Amino acid sequence: MTTHPRKGAGAGPANDRSLRILFVASECAPWVKTGGLADVVAALPPALVAAGLDVRVCLPFYRSLRPEVGEAPPVATVLGALVRKARLPSGIIAYLIDAPWLFGRDGGPYQDAEGRDWPDNAQRFGLFAHAAAVLASDETPLLWRPDIFHGHDWQAGLGPLWLKTGLPKPAPSVMTIHNLAFQGLFPPETAEALRLPPGVFAVEGAEFYGRLSFLKAGLHYADVLTTVSPTYAQEIQGEGQGCGLHGLLTRRRNDLTGIVNGIDDRVWDPATDPLIPARYDRDRLAGKAVNKEAVQRRFDLAADPGRPLFTMVGRLTWQKGVDLVAEVADRLVRAGGQLVVLGTGERGLEDGLRALAHRHRGAVSVRIGFDEALAHEMEAGADIFLMPSRFEPCGLNQMYSQRYGTPPVARATGGIADTVDGVGPGDCEGSGFLFDEATGQALWESIERALGAYRAPACWRRIMETGMRKDFSWAASAARYRALYHTLVREGEARAPA
Ligand code: ADP
Ligand code: GLC
């Protein structure tokens, strides 16, 4: 096959052209987003291109993408689906797997409008990952052939399985865990329905306690594993955070690296952000007060510059510790604070927050929904960002908030522990307030420390500035991915017959 990049001793792609990486994911901002995965899949490829790699992204062609993508001509067919080619706003090329019977419907990427999982998610992401794997093998109909398949989360998990067990001349694969708690578990007969190669539904394969696990497939068959922070890479090797996969991850610890996420600092920069009422930076902080008043007014709170404004943005789930915030809200209001929350998620948590807002009209306000612009306004307008996550593989909001001069009060877990410098008691050194126990009391004590610092303007300003000065750009992490890809390709070349 003439397009195969790894032919001929020593004439590997590293020597004669940029390495080609195919990102395979179910979300990519701004086209389709439910959480941080979309931000990472949007921002990491351009950073890798800047580091000298040739990166393209493979996504399902959801109906909601149609008005977004513009011209997206079909360039091939694979497994009965069209492959369309489009360009992301960043300039990165996207291959869209167009299977209308699976993706041509209204609703979210994983769920219908009522929040029920699509009943055919196994077929949807089974075909998607299989098609992407074909693109990274000798069977690809495309001329652009990747040197590496880089899958993200369970939706891409069957890709490495197909590459290892069912496709000719496969590219080596990387699997990145953004969240181990979502595994893509399906009944055992799914393996047959998806016509997976014989033998893969096994403990040493894709079987997980009697079910088919898309994520485990990825983690078992991929050549290299990464996750989105060094601390989470450690945590998931233990029973507490391992979600039943800690045994596998511990066995594969030498193949597992934690690389902390960056943020897209063109999208998240208070000095240039078009989505906020007033722009500001470290040296010109006046705009922040304007943004605070805008948030207070928008959420029907007293427009009082002196009252500390707390905010929380994110999925309203157990993971994010929303219940802990609800637990401390009364105390927070008694202490003079205001609270605004934006998010969607579990019905019970949403209802609890609504009740809270009702009880504390004028001091607590909640917006149930997904609103990108409002998320920016809240990061810019708040004084303190709350993020009491029970676990957090990386977390982006704590980085956004530091950048926006909104010190986080956050639980020291996963990527939070790696990206927030905790301010010690009675101190002004650091960029946020960290606590360990996942309890309302521990959160409250951390909030009290934050309030103490907030009431000492020079101290507060110093903490804000420390956060705003931090470098959360992707460059350093992109360099680590690049090194990983090169090692993987070199190892592949060393193994391949000359
Ligand atoms: P996770 O991926 O676990 O949800 P992250 O902190 O990594 O958490 O990323 C969440 C991303 O999604 C952030 O960009 C955040 O601003 C955004 N986000 C989450 N919920 C909402 C919402 N309701 N409205 C707007 N943006 C949201
Ligand atoms: C997941 C995690 C979050 C992480 C994001 C991007 O959704 O929950 O912590 O920041 O993926 O990697």
Side-chain angles (χ1 to χ4, degrees):
M1 174 92 199
T2 48
T3 53
H4 192 257
R6 280 180 283 129
K7 63 178 166 54
N15 299 329
D16 45 31
R17 61 160 173 77
S18 301
L19 270 191
R20 293 175 175 169
I21 318 294
L22 183 65
F23 265 46
V24 180
S26 56
E27 298 187 26
C28 183
W31 288 350
V32 49
K33 169 167 170 175
T34 70
L37 170 68
D39 292 8
V40 173
V41 176
L44 177 53
L48 292 169
V49 167
L53 301 173
D54 178 1
V55 186
R56 300 187 182 186
V57 175
C58 183
L59 300 165
F61 190 44
Y62 307 107
R63 172 174 286 170
S64 62
L65 258 56
R66 283 190 204 161
E68 303 266 347
V69 302
E71 274 292 288
V75 291
T77 52
V78 62
L79 306 175
L82 287 176
V83 182
R84 294 181 179 274
K85 190 172 171 186
R87 240 176 232 282
L88 282 153
S90 62
I92 296 289
I93 288 175
Y95 292 116
L96 306 172
I97 303 300
D98 183 7
W101 65 98
L102 298 174
F103 302 116
R105 53 182 83 157
D106 295 329
Y110 318 121
Q111 298 176 329
D112 64 19
E114 274 72 53
R116 286 177 302 238
D117 283 354
W118 295 115
D120 56 351
N121 271 344
Q123 281 67 33
R124 297 170 79 235
F125 295 106
L127 178 112
F128 168 65
H130 189 182
V134 171
L135 301 184
S137 79
D138 229 12
E139 283 181 5
T140 182
L142 300 177
L143 289 177
W144 188 89
R145 178 165 169 177
D147 302 305
I148 288 177
F149 173 106
H150 187 160
H152 298 265
D153 275 353
W154 71 265
Q155 295 86 353
L158 292 189
L161 179 153
W162 279 108
L163 289 167
K164 274 283 153 59
T165 62
L167 288 166
K169 292 204 180 156
S173 54
V174 178
M175 262 314 279
T176 293
I177 304 164
H178 295 265
N179 196 330
L180 199 62
F182 299 114
Q183 301 190 355
L185 292 173
F186 300 101
E189 46 291 0
T190 317
E192 220 178 291
L194 295 177
R195 294 173 205 266
L196 298 186
V200 301
F201 190 68
V203 176
E204 289 292 310
E207 189 248 3
F208 184 72
Y209 295 102
R211 291 198 280 174
L212 175 67
S213 166
F214 279 30
L215 182 62
K216 187 181 169 202
L219 301 181
H220 179 80
Y221 289 104
D223 295 285
V224 164
L225 311 178
T226 77
T227 188
V228 289
S229 70
T231 296
Y232 193 60
Q234 289 304 317
E235 288 171 343
I236 56 179
Q237 293 177 46
E239 213 177 326
Q241 302 277 10
C243 302
L245 289 165
H246 47 285
L248 187 163
L249 292 166
T250 305
R251 269 197 310 284
R252 298 209 62 187
R253 63 183 170 275
N254 293 332
D255 302 322
L256 170 66
T257 319
I259 304 179
V260 74
N261 288 332
I263 64 175
D264 190 333
D265 44 18
R266 287 161 310 177
V267 176
W268 292 95
D269 179 0
T272 56
D273 191 338
L275 298 174
I276 62 178
R279 275 153 286 284
Y280 61 98
D281 61 28
R282 227 166 50 225
D283 304 314
R284 289 166 301 151
L285 276 174
K288 188 143 175 81
V290 177
N291 294 316
K292 176 171 176 176
E293 190 183 333
V295 172
Q296 286 171 322
R297 290 194 188 284
R298 182 192 272 280
F299 281 91
D300 295 320
L301 305 180
D304 179 346
R307 290 181 72 175
L309 176 60
F310 291 77
T311 192
M312 180 172 195
V313 178
R315 293 182 293 113
L316 302 178
T317 62
W318 184 83
Q319 173 191 347
K320 302 291 178 182
V322 182
D323 52 316
L324 304 181
V325 172
E327 200 180 318
V328 303
D330 290 349
R331 280 184 271 184
L332 192 148
V333 171
R334 272 203 305 277
Q338 296 175 328
L339 171 66
V340 291
V341 181
L342 166 66
T344 55
E346 292 162 18
R347 197 51 62 83
L349 294 170
E350 292 181 359
D351 290 344
L353 289 171
R354 282 199 193 95
L356 201 68
H358 190 72
R359 207 163 63 238
H360 293 293
R361 252 176 229 282
V364 176
S365 189
V366 173
R367 188 71 47 91
I368 303 298
F370 195 96
D371 188 332
E372 187 80 28
L374 193 52
H376 283 247
E377 280 182 45
M378 290 165 70
E379 290 282 10
D383 294 304
I384 296 169
F385 195 88
L386 295 178
M387 202 158 167
S389 305
R390 288 196 166 79
F391 66 96
E392 197 59 80
C394 181
L396 300 173
N397 277 312
Q398 80 282 9
M399 293 191 266
Y400 300 152
S401 69
Q402 288 170 85
R403 190 113 210 274
Y404 279 64
T406 308
V409 168
R411 184 153 175 271
T413 181
I416 294 175
D418 294 332
T419 58
V420 178
D421 302 314
V423 176
D427 200 0
C428 309
E429 300 300 323
S431 61
F433 299 82
L434 296 175
F435 62 97
D436 290 319
E437 296 294 314
T439 61
Q441 185 55 27
L443 167 61
W444 175 247
E445 283 165 15
S446 203
I447 288 175
E448 277 193 311
R449 284 201 290 119
L451 285 174
Y454 177 79
R455 295 198 179 102
C459 179
W460 191 248
R461 187 168 176 129
R462 193 180 171 110
I463 295 166
M464 282 170 74
E465 284 178 358
T466 303
M468 294 179 88
R469 245 200 314 271
K470 289 180 72 160
D471 180 7
F472 294 119
S473 65
W474 268 105
S477 295
R480 297 203 57 202
Y481 280 107
R482 182 175 185 274
L484 193 96
Y485 297 145
H486 278 282
T487 308
L488 191 54
V489 167
R490 267 199 307 276
E491 282 169 1
E493 280 168 0
R495 274 197 303 274

